[in-house]
Amino acid sequence: MPSPRSWNDLFADPRFHWKEPDPGVVARAERWAQQGRRAVYDLGCGAGRHMAYLQTLGFRVVGSDVAANGLAACADMLRQADLPARLVRSDMTVAPFADGVFDAGLATNVLNHNPRALLQQAVDEIHRVLAPGGEFYLTVLNTWDWRYGSGEEAEPDSFVLAEGPETGILHHFFSEPDLLNWLGAFDVVSLERERGELQLSTCPE
């Protein structure tokens, strides 16, 4: 089995400091701006590509991540762009924010890295911090991804990859029914298959 690794280890490598925003985030940011949404939560902000992009559009963005190296890279990117660095170090299962404080939020390939026992806690925290009518955009890996079944199976549909740049990292692969079950407290606005991912926009019910 590969040696355990974390995203803190990966963010020590500049290869994981992505710069370009996810196309799905770009599309939704345009709609959020038109809808007058302003306060955005970037869950698992990593090295800051979405925080930087969204703030250039006028959103007030708060980012959280469990990885100190990711937050350091994020702070550096924002400082170079002369943008605010509203950053919090926290696990995705405990969002250190009051109820209903965000108009919108995003998590791109973040929930993938939770064991099943913690997934519902993470989803419940997303639900809690969104304002009524708020929208959350997320992407996750799916069970038809080419990496599904690769490496050591830790639990159903979850594998510690044995090759590639994310070797040693836990990946959970969602089926559509599985994902929708976790999101039972949300109204699913859209569900799409793109680039080997499941993409969803959701609102609290």
Side-chain angles (χ1 to χ4, degrees), residues 19 73-83:
K19 306 297 184 184
C74 183
D76 185 59
M77 175 188 287
L78 295 172
R79 182 170 55 252
Q80 291 183 38
D82 196 27
L83 294 168

Side-chain angles (χ1 to χ4, degrees), residues 138 140 174-183 191 198 200:
L138 62 91
V140 297
F174 293 84
S175 66
E176 288 185 25
D178 186 32
L179 181 58
L180 293 175
N181 182 58
W182 292 117
L183 297 171
L191 172 60
L198 286 170
L200 293 96

Side-chain angles (χ1 to χ4, degrees), residues 39 41 93-104 121 123-134 204:
Y41 178 28
T93 62
V94 183
F97 309 110
D99 297 355
V101 294
F102 296 106
D103 304 317
Q121 293 179 44
V123 170
D124 289 346
E125 284 293 88
I126 291 171
H127 188 277
R128 182 183 63 79
V129 301
L130 277 179

Side-chain angles (χ1 to χ4, degrees), residues 1-202:
M1 183 172 179
S3 299
R5 298 179 73 198
S6 70
W7 272 97
N8 195 52
D9 299 322
L10 268 59
F11 281 128
D13 185 340
R15 291 182 301 167
F16 291 90
H17 298 178
W18 301 294
K19 306 297 184 184
E20 296 300 317
D22 182 290
V25 173
V26 173
R28 282 153 183 84
E30 294 174 358
R31 188 172 75 252
W32 291 347
Q34 294 170 359
Q35 294 169 339
R37 303 180 191 274
R38 286 294 176 264
V40 178
Y41 178 28
D42 186 355
L43 170 60
C45 61
R49 58 175 177 156
H50 294 131
M51 286 199 69
Y53 172 73
L54 291 168
Q55 290 192 104
T56 62
L57 299 179
F59 293 99
R60 185 183 188 279
V61 188
V62 178
S64 72
D65 206 291
V66 72
N69 288 331
L71 291 172
C74 183
D76 185 59
M77 175 188 287
L78 295 172
R79 182 170 55 252
Q80 291 183 38
D82 196 27
L83 294 168
R86 304 180 186 95
L87 300 171
V88 178
R89 186 178 181 189
S90 69
D91 185 271
M92 72 181 81
T93 62
V94 183
F97 309 110
D99 297 355
V101 294
F102 296 106
D103 304 317
L106 62 140
T108 57
N109 285 329
V110 172
L111 293 182
N112 310 329
H113 305 299
N114 249 339
R116 293 183 66 90
L118 300 179
L119 276 170
Q120 193 63 59
Q121 293 179 44
V123 170
D124 289 346
E125 284 293 88
I126 291 171
H127 188 277
R128 182 183 63 79
V129 301
L130 277 179
E135 183 172 306
F136 202 90
Y137 170 69
L138 62 91
T139 68
V140 297
L141 297 176
N142 55 64
T143 51
W144 58 92
D145 186 284
W146 65 272
R147 291 171 294 181
Y148 179 81
S150 172
E152 184 78 16
E153 185 171 19
E155 55 185 346
D157 297 327
S158 296
F159 301 87
V160 179
L161 299 188
E163 58 184 4
E166 296 179 16
T167 295
I169 300 292
L170 177 70
H171 288 65
H172 181 74
F173 297 82
F174 293 84
S175 66
E176 288 185 25
D178 186 32
L179 181 58
L180 293 175
N181 182 58
W182 292 117
L183 297 171
F186 289 81
D187 176 25
V188 177
V189 177
S190 65
L191 172 60
E192 306 165 7
R193 295 185 181 190
E194 294 287 344
R195 296 173 287 109
E197 299 170 344
L198 286 170
Q199 298 184 358
L200 293 96
S201 290
T202 62

